[in-house]
Amino acid sequence: MASTGQPQSDTHQSTIAPRGRFVSDLPRPARPPARRLTRRVTQLSVGLALYGASAALLVRGGLGLEPWGVLHQGLAELTGLTMGVVSIAVGAVVLLLWIPIRQRPGPGTVANVFAVGIAMDATLALVPDGHGPAARIALLIAGIVLNGVATGLYIAARFGPGPRDGLMTGLHRLTGRSVRLVRTAIEVAVVATGFALGGSVGIGTVAYALAIGPLAQLFLRVFAIPAAGTGSTAVAAGTPARAILRR
């Protein structure tokens, strides 16, 4: 007969939640480091590929591009290069601008420069132009939503911002101006330059500007990865408040 008053085994005790709490209320165990890294790399890769694909869908929709897409299209018209190649070249030039503002790239920053442009050209080769209002609107909506998904995926992976994001946050830190003001100034200059070169500005440009912030915020939460050793799903500590980072 088992004696009373003896302490139970550690194994048994570990299955019992503290008094007044349910097991589901306790902090979740941290994801193993290797598994977490695999998920982060996967999110980065898929996110960058989808970002390039989403930019291509906006091109095929023909209703207006996102700010940097306007510049890429204008430069492509001027140079005869593909939009993907122009995107890579612009990303590399913007990355060089990080040097005087003392921004440090991460592995995701370098991957961003190449992966987005390659995915954009691949999608443009596969997807034809939309014909008729219904097809063009469908491509526009698909491009904007997919861009929000892609933004949430690659930023939540926490491998460093894209070149254009880093330019924005670096100028914010250097000038002391708000992120919103710096971002707006950069994008207005980019759109104006791209439009002057022949880039497409239209209702799609406005729809993108209005929708991408809420969409990116939503998908940042959906794809957030808990930091190592915690149950927290904070996406990027130190990111300026209210900043939605885009390529």
Side-chain angles (χ1 to χ4, degrees):
M1 177 176 179
S3 61
T4 60
Q6 295 295 322
Q8 299 184 39
S9 68
D10 290 341
T11 302
H12 180 68
Q13 287 181 344
S14 65
T15 63
I16 302 176
R19 181 175 297 178
R21 299 182 65 185
F22 296 99
V23 173
S24 60
D25 294 331
L26 298 177
R28 290 174 295 178
R31 200 179 284 266
R35 185 177 175 187
R36 188 185 304 109
L37 179 60
T38 299
R39 177 179 168 181
R40 291 175 62 203
V41 171
T42 301
Q43 281 198 196
L44 175 67
S45 304
V46 174
L48 294 180
L50 291 182
Y51 200 108
S54 70
L57 293 181
L58 293 176
V59 174
R60 292 307 189 207
L63 295 174
L65 307 179
E66 83 282 4
W68 286 96
V70 177
L71 178 62
H72 297 156
Q73 189 178 56
L75 289 171
E77 292 286 339
L78 179 67
T79 62
L81 299 173
T82 67
M83 282 189 67
V85 171
V86 169
S87 174
I88 292 171
V90 170
V93 171
V94 172
L95 192 55
L96 290 176
L97 296 177
W98 284 30
I99 297 173
I101 61 177
R102 298 183 179 180
Q103 284 285 95
R104 294 184 178 181
T109 307
V110 179
N112 185 297
V113 172
F114 296 98
V116 172
I118 292 170
M120 186 188 306
D121 274 352
T123 306
L124 287 171
L126 294 173
V127 178
D129 288 330
H131 296 290
R136 296 173 73 184
I137 291 172
L139 286 167
L140 172 65
I141 294 173
I144 293 174
V145 173
L146 192 62
N147 192 279
V149 173
T151 300
L153 279 166
Y154 96 81
I155 292 178
R158 303 195 309 275
F159 277 112
R164 299 150 184 85
D165 304 332
L167 178 64
M168 177 185 69
T169 55
L171 289 174
H172 155 71
R173 188 191 68 251
L174 188 67
T175 64
R177 302 294 184 180
S178 69
V179 169
R180 180 176 299 178
L181 177 61
V182 172
R183 173 176 156 184
T184 299
I186 291 174
E187 294 192 347
V188 167
V190 165
V191 169
T193 303
F195 181 70
L197 294 173
S200 175
V201 176
I203 190 171
T205 308
V206 177
Y208 180 91
L210 294 175
I212 191 58
L215 284 172
Q217 188 66 46
L218 168 64
F219 289 110
L220 279 167
R221 292 173 180 170
V222 170
F223 298 118
I225 301 174
T230 72
S232 171
T233 55
V235 172
T239 300
R242 300 182 299 279
I244 295 295
L245 302 184
R246 302 206 306 274
R247 265 188 71 254

